[in-house]
Amino acid sequence: GKARAPCASPDPDEGAQQMYERAEALEEADPPSAEALYRRVIEARPDHADAYANLGFLMCESHRYEEAAELYAEAVRHCPRAALLHYNRGVALEALGRVQEAVKSYETCLRLAPDMADAHQNAALLYARAGDKHRAIRHFSAYRRLQPRG
């Protein structure tokens, strides 16, 4: 057979970005439609980190943490350098009580973005709960250092 272009539409990138913007606009008024659009964006552009972030956020908002954790696992395979996706995955895993995996996600996030205060705080709290005082203190210190002086 004849070799076909992988994408039928003339400018697939444009289309995905337009869908993404439409999804964002629909988040408040119509979450299910926003969700469907985000899924289409991800289908068209599996490396669209923002679409994963927003879709996962919608899932977490409706307490679908298992789905969110699965989505974020896929997201970090496609966007391994997107610190926010590792952070969000940690939040979803933590909500599911999968603490060790959550800590790993926060640590990966912090390797990519050492200044993400929320990741330091969440990791610190989990280390403290696990009785790992040394690591807890290290992350609490980093968290405090990153707070705006007011």
Side-chain angles (χ1 to χ4, degrees), residues 1-113:
K2 207 171 66 198
R4 286 197 3 239
C7 293
S9 71
D11 189 352
D13 221 49
E14 230 303 279
Q17 193 53 34
Q18 280 179 329
M19 274 191 287
Y20 171 78
E21 285 162 20
R22 229 175 53 229
E24 254 191 334
L26 281 169
E27 270 191 27
E28 295 275 309
D30 186 358
S33 295
E35 212 174 287
L37 276 170
Y38 284 134
R39 288 181 196 281
R40 284 175 58 199
V41 173
I42 289 164
E43 243 170 77
R45 290 223 0 240
D47 63 342
H48 200 299
D50 292 337
Y52 285 112
N54 292 5
L55 176 55
F57 178 77
L58 285 175
M59 290 171 173
C60 288
E61 283 280 274
S62 51
H63 304 285
R64 288 150 52 209
Y65 299 110
E66 193 70 57
E67 254 182 285
E70 280 173 35
L71 176 80
Y72 287 133
E74 180 191 333
V76 299
R77 278 197 300 276
H78 289 286
C79 314
R81 310 220 31 89
L84 180 66
L85 294 176
H86 289 282
Y87 171 79
N88 289 355
R89 181 167 185 238
V91 171
L93 290 167
E94 194 177 336
L96 291 166
R98 289 159 62 181
V99 173
Q100 280 163 317
E101 289 170 88
V103 167
K104 269 196 205 117
S105 286
Y106 293 139
E107 292 286 10
T108 303
C109 165
L110 289 166
R111 273 198 301 281
L112 296 164

Side-chain angles (χ1 to χ4, degrees), residues 134-150:
H134 179 73
R135 284 197 178 97
I137 288 166
R138 199 185 64 201
H139 283 289
F140 275 129
S141 300
Y143 172 73
R144 273 198 301 277
R145 200 177 56 242
L146 291 165
Q147 294 313 295
R149 307 247 180 271

